[in-house]
């Protein structure tokens, strides 16, 4: 549970990533709100914090009429406190109830349908079908305002009806715009994407970032680029159908860290004089997210065995050897899917073109992911760190790095974080940003140092 100071910082910054971790109650009005409430923040002295909406109401607070914390998906009321409910909500966000039944969802979670419904009523205040229905309505509203899809295609893409047929949308491609709080820091993001691109799977250039994707059994491609003059990125997507659209949008948002408000984060951290020269960097930093945490983990295994310089070539060889060709290729660009965990689990050293030790570590990672021991999409941050340490034998710092990138966790304790523990506590809940800025500053200093001093 976040402490009072951490909650207050996130509330004042209106950080959307904390919109399921707590609610704030205003003592003078007896109203409780989500961290992203658009109303002017109350004075810190007049605010207390609760882990859930239910706790706030038990204490005599009533929900805010502006941010609707009692009904909005993603808020504390919808997240609940049970791990089963949190995991179920993530699966619903990915479309688990668009075509499936509550019984199927419950079976995937290892519980009965009646028990799952009871948990939802206790922690969410509504059954699973209501959560799914609200999710579909919100996505439909976004598509109606931001795309040119006809009403019937909006309904199909939002999941209101079965869409077991190819989308008939101008050849299958869909274009949406996703908003962000400026600055985007695209130049830094582009450099990072270029350094880690898997040949044949990803590419970055003047037209933006393009890659192949596989999600919920559907294979296709996407491209993203900043829109000049607007605080938006354009997402172009080509899939056989658009049932996973919500999940795609969430993954792209994590990839580019679109939920962050860098200016607000910098303002909150500016009170700490120890950050000094990093303040200007904090105003433009974005977390290095990922489309799929499994890919990040594969890159880290390869870096461990062949070094940073050789990892790009090694992962390219893996993609050529084990990645499936994309059936419906994009107009230009990558045409292979990243190797699936099952493929790595079954491959031997000769196929992988690596040492026996590297092949062993990749197979271990593939087996754990394919077998469900590692959940890159549905685990909580702490769960994923523990899974990576135990199942894939990553050290704690590397596990934190992979989990941070997989889940866009703003408060990970990364290996590069400099400063005593008592000092770093003052940087919560944005320690990930501070660590990345420190690492960037250290690299820049090393590159600018005279050759003799570097040696």
């Amino acid at each position: 549970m976040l402490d009072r100071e951490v909650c207050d910082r996130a509330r004042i910054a209106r950080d959307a990533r904390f919109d399921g971790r707590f609610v704030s109650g205003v003592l003078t009005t007896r109203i409780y709100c989500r961290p992203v409430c658009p109303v002017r923040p109350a004075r810190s002295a007049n605010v207390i914090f609760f882990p859930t909406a239910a706790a706030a109401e038990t204490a005599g607070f009533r929900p805010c009429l502006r941010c609707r914390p009692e009904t909005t998906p993603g808020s504390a009321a919808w997240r609940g406190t049970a791990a089963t409910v949190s995991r179920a909500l993530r699966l619903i966000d990915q479309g688990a109830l668009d075509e499936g039944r509550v019984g199927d969802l419950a079976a995937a979670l290892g519980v009965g349908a009646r028990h799952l419904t009871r948990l939802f009523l206790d922690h969410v205040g509504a059954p699973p079908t209501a959560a799914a229905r609200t999710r579909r309505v919100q996505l439909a509203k976004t598509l109606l305002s931001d795309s040119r899809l006809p009403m019937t295609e909006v309904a199909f893409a939002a999941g209101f009806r079965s869409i077991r047929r190819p989308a008939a949308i101008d050849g299958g491609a869909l274009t949406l715009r996703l908003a962000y709080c400026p600055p985007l820091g695209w130049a830094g993001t582009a450099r990072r994407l270029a350094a880690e691109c898997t040949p044949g799977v990803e590419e970055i250039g003047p037209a933006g970032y393009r890659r192949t994707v596989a999600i919920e059994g559907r294979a296709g491609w996407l491209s993203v680029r900043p829109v000049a003059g607007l605080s938006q990125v354009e997402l172009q997507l080509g899939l056989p159908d658009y049932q996973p659209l919500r999940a795609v949008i969430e993954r792209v948002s994590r990839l580019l860290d679109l939920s962050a408000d860098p200016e607000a984060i910098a303002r909150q951290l500016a009170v700490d004089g120890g950050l000094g020269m990093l303040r200007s960097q904090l105003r433009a930093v974005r977390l290095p997210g990922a489309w799929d945490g499994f890919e990040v983990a594969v890159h880290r295994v390869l870096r461990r065995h062949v070094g940073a310089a050789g990892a790009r070539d090694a992962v390219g060889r893996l993609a050529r050897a084990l990645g499936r060709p994309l059936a419906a290729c994009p107009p230009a660009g990558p045409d292979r899917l990243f190797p699936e965990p099952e493929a790595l689990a079954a491959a031997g050293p000769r196929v992988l073109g690596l040492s026996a030790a590297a092949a062993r570590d990749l197979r271990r990672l593939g087996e754990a992911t394919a077998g469900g021991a590692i959940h890159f999409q549905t685990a909580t941050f702490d769960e994923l760190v523990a899974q990576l340490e135990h199942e894939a034998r990553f050290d704690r710092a590397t596990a934190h790095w992979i989990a941070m990138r997989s889940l866009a966790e703003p408060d990970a304790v990364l290996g590069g974080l400099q400063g005593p523990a008592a000092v770093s506590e003052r940087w919560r809940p944005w320690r990930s940003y501070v660590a990345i800025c420190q690492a960037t500053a250290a690299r820049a200093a090393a590159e600018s140092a005279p050759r003799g001093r570097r040696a």
Side-chain angles (χ1 to χ4, degrees):
M1 182 60 61
L2 299 176
D3 62 26
R4 173 182 173 80
E5 184 176 357
V6 171
C7 290
D8 202 43
R9 288 176 178 174
R11 172 187 72 95
I12 295 172
R14 294 191 176 99
D15 195 321
R17 289 158 303 179
F18 294 86
D19 195 15
R21 305 191 184 187
F22 65 87
V23 294
S24 56
V26 182
L27 296 171
T28 53
T29 62
R30 307 301 293 180
I31 290 174
Y32 70 93
C33 301
R34 299 160 55 194
V36 294
C37 184
V39 176
R40 181 178 178 180
R43 293 178 56 190
S44 298
N46 295 332
V47 176
I48 59 175
F49 300 96
F50 301 96
T52 65
E57 295 192 6
T58 300
F61 289 78
R62 63 185 187 277
C64 173
L65 296 179
R66 292 288 301 276
C67 63
R68 301 294 303 280
E70 82 285 7
T71 60
T72 305
S75 68
W78 287 86
R79 288 283 173 205
T81 56
T84 300
V85 173
S86 296
R87 190 169 289 114
L89 286 166
R90 290 193 182 186
L91 292 174
I92 289 173
D93 281 343
Q94 296 169 16
L97 292 184
D98 287 350
E99 294 187 61
R101 299 174 302 174
V102 173
D104 299 328
L105 174 62
L109 297 167
V111 299
R114 294 180 64 181
H115 180 59
L116 181 63
T117 300
R118 189 180 308 114
L119 286 175
F120 264 71
L121 292 174
D122 288 343
H123 295 284
V124 176
T129 51
R133 184 167 57 250
T134 302
R135 164 195 169 277
R136 290 193 291 267
V137 169
Q138 290 196 330
L139 180 54
K141 290 176 65 177
T142 298
L143 292 173
L144 286 171
S145 61
D146 295 346
S147 77
R148 297 180 180 179
L149 299 184
M151 185 69 72
T152 54
E153 294 297 344
V154 167
F156 286 132
F160 279 103
R161 292 177 56 190
S162 173
I163 52 174
R164 296 193 188 103
R165 61 178 181 83
I169 310 171
D170 297 332
L174 174 67
T175 300
L176 291 173
R177 289 188 174 184
L178 310 178
Y180 62 85
C181 293
L184 179 61
W186 177 256
T189 297
R191 284 194 298 270
R192 189 258 304 170
L193 292 171
E196 298 182 346
C197 267
T198 299
V201 176
E202 306 168 272
E203 70 174 19
I204 181 78
Y209 171 72
R210 302 177 69 91
R211 66 161 297 142
T212 61
V213 296
I215 185 167
E216 298 180 18
R218 297 158 176 85
W221 57 272
L222 64 79
S223 68
V224 289
R225 66 176 185 87
V227 179
L230 297 174
S231 298
Q232 297 176 342
V233 296
E234 181 182 270
L235 166 64
Q236 189 174 19
L237 180 65
L239 288 173
D241 62 63
Y242 293 97
Q243 183 171 357
L245 183 58
R246 178 80 176 218
V248 170
I249 292 173
E250 290 180 352
R251 288 206 196 185
V252 170
S253 180
R254 290 202 302 265
L255 173 69
L256 302 179
D257 197 23
L258 297 181
S259 298
D261 185 345
E263 288 283 0
I265 292 172
R267 283 196 301 270
Q268 289 295 301
L269 291 173
V271 298
D272 188 340
L275 292 176
M277 298 290 290
L278 294 180
R279 292 181 188 175
S280 60
Q281 292 185 39
L282 285 166
R283 292 189 179 94
V285 70
R286 296 274 174 174
L287 293 184
W291 167 257
D292 189 338
F294 176 70
E295 297 179 11
V296 179
V298 169
H299 275 269
R300 281 285 145 171
V301 170
L302 294 174
R303 286 170 64 97
R304 178 195 300 167
H305 289 280
V306 301
R312 178 182 169 89
D313 290 338
V315 76
R317 292 197 302 271
L318 289 184
R320 288 192 297 272
L322 302 175
R324 292 187 291 116
L326 188 62
C329 292
D335 59 0
R336 302 191 74 81
L337 297 169
F338 194 87
E340 297 175 350
E342 294 80 0
L344 284 183
R350 184 173 302 177
V351 174
L352 298 175
L354 298 167
S355 67
R360 178 200 62 220
D361 288 349
L362 284 175
R363 286 198 303 272
R364 180 188 294 126
L365 174 64
E367 289 168 357
T369 306
I374 299 179
H375 298 274
F376 285 101
Q377 298 300 328
T378 59
T380 65
F381 178 78
D382 290 336
E383 289 171 346
L384 183 53
V385 168
Q387 292 166 3
L388 291 167
E389 288 182 303
H390 183 264
E391 302 294 339
R393 313 283 178 84
F394 285 110
D395 61 77
R396 189 162 188 80
T398 304
H400 266 254
W401 172 257
I402 296 171
M404 180 273 289
R405 297 194 57 183
S406 302
L407 304 174
E409 169 57 44
D411 199 37
V413 182
L414 304 179
L417 191 64
Q418 302 169 16
V423 174
S424 65
E425 280 292 309
R426 298 205 302 265
W427 300 335
R428 297 185 68 191
W430 296 293
R431 287 179 293 185
S432 298
Y433 291 91
V434 177
I436 289 169
C437 284
Q438 288 178 336
T440 301
R443 282 196 301 270
E447 292 172 357
S448 62
R451 290 184 179 274
R453 189 176 299 175
R454 284 190 230 174

